[in-house]
């Protein structure tokens, strides 16, 4: 049996690993705090998906918006799309789509099939604006207030529960201040 002093580094390492793994069991990987929360939406100018009209940050920050990053090749985007259409029909907030690293014709075809709940659909062909937003993948949704401040970020598919329990109360609070 080796002396106790030579085992010390290994037992400390093992205990540290157990503690890290234990806390990892209770970590929600869908909740990713963005360093942009409470900060201004990054400056951008993108063209709309269908008409090619240039839209900038200044065009969007006059009212609260949901910024939804999506792509035609994204399966979770299909699942969340009915929620976005429901949000749009309830008229609580405008939804701006950011089409991420997609073929323009594929994205337009996808919208023709599933419907278009977006006030504007902006074309981020290279994903540069998404990188500025800290997007990990699609779908991701941001709540931006009328002053251009990012108030919330949701990574992954937006569900009715997430919208009604997390985002809608924030939207109502923002709208009360207007």
């Amino acid at each position: 049996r080796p002396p106790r002093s030579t085992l010390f580094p290994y037992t400390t390492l093992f205990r540290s690993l157990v503690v890290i793994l234990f806390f990892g069991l209770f970590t929600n990987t869908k909740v990713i705090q963005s360093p942009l929360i409470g900060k201004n939406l990054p400056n951008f100018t993108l063209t709309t998906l269908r008409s090619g009209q240039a839209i900038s940050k200044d065009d969007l920050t006059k009212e609260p918006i949901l910024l939804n990053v999506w792509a035609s090749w994204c399966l979770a985007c299909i699942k969340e799309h009915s929620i976005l259409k429901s949000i749009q029909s309830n008229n609580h907030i405008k939804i701006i789509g950011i089409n991420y690293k997609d073929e323009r014709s594929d994205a337009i075809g996808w919208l023709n099939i599933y419907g278009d709940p977006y006030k504007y659909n902006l074309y981020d062909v290279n994903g540069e604006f998404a990188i500025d937003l800290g997007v990990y993948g699609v779908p991701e949704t941001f709540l931006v207030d009328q002053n251009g401040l990012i108030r919330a970020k949701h990574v992954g598919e937006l569900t009715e529960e997430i919208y009604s329990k997390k985002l809608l109360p924030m939207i109502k609070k923002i709208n009360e201040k207007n």
Side-chain angles (χ1 to χ4, degrees), residues 102-171:
D102 212 343
E103 293 293 327
R104 188 180 295 266
S105 60
D106 292 345
I108 292 170
W110 192 93
L111 290 170
N112 289 339
I113 292 168
Y114 296 106
D116 190 348
Y118 304 104
K119 179 177 180 179
Y120 297 109
N121 227 315
L122 306 178
Y123 190 48
D124 191 15
V125 66
N126 297 320
E128 291 172 13
F129 180 53
I131 289 170
D132 291 343
L133 286 171
V135 169
Y136 292 86
V138 290
E140 289 191 21
T141 304
F142 298 82
L143 173 60
V144 181
D145 72 13
Q146 69 280 1
N147 299 314
L149 291 177
I150 298 172
R151 296 296 190 100
K153 175 182 179 177
H154 176 73
V155 175
E157 175 188 339
L158 196 59
T159 64
E160 182 63 45
E161 181 179 1
I162 291 164
Y163 177 72
S164 62
K165 290 185 178 175
K166 179 183 174 188
L167 295 176
L168 188 56
M170 293 177 82
I171 292 167

Side-chain angles (χ1 to χ4, degrees), residues 6-174:
T6 59
L7 290 177
F8 178 74
Y10 299 110
T11 57
T12 303
L13 179 65
F14 177 75
R15 287 180 183 158
S16 299
L17 208 74
V18 168
V19 168
I20 290 168
L21 291 174
F22 177 77
F23 285 110
L25 290 173
F26 302 103
T27 302
N28 183 351
T29 58
K30 291 286 185 192
V31 177
I32 298 174
Q33 276 297 39
S34 170
L36 294 179
I37 293 178
K39 298 212 166 74
N40 283 314
L41 186 67
N43 288 322
F44 70 90
T45 299
L46 293 171
T47 60
T48 58
L49 192 59
R50 293 183 194 264
S51 71
Q53 172 190 1
I55 302 286
S56 71
K57 173 187 168 181
D58 295 335
D59 297 318
L60 299 183
T61 55
K62 295 174 174 85
E63 61 186 327
I65 58 170
L66 273 184
L67 202 59
N68 178 253
V69 184
W70 69 279
S72 65
W73 43 263
C74 164
L75 293 177
C77 296
I78 295 170
K79 290 181 183 178
E80 83 169 0
H81 204 67
S82 63
I83 300 300
L84 295 173
K85 290 195 306 189
S86 173
I87 293 167
Q88 185 260 342
S89 69
N90 289 334
N91 228 6
H92 290 294
I93 192 164
K94 301 283 189 254
I95 307 170
I96 307 300
I98 305 294
N99 181 249
Y100 175 73
K101 291 188 175 183
D102 212 343
E103 293 293 327
R104 188 180 295 266
S105 60
D106 292 345
I108 292 170
W110 192 93
L111 290 170
N112 289 339
I113 292 168
Y114 296 106
D116 190 348
Y118 304 104
K119 179 177 180 179
Y120 297 109
N121 227 315
L122 306 178
Y123 190 48
D124 191 15
V125 66
N126 297 320
E128 291 172 13
F129 180 53
I131 289 170
D132 291 343
L133 286 171
V135 169
Y136 292 86
V138 290
E140 289 191 21
T141 304
F142 298 82
L143 173 60
V144 181
D145 72 13
Q146 69 280 1
N147 299 314
L149 291 177
I150 298 172
R151 296 296 190 100
K153 175 182 179 177
H154 176 73
V155 175
E157 175 188 339
L158 196 59
T159 64
E160 182 63 45
E161 181 179 1
I162 291 164
Y163 177 72
S164 62
K165 290 185 178 175
K166 179 183 174 188
L167 295 176
L168 188 56
M170 293 177 82
I171 292 167
K172 287 181 177 178
K173 190 181 247 185
I174 289 168

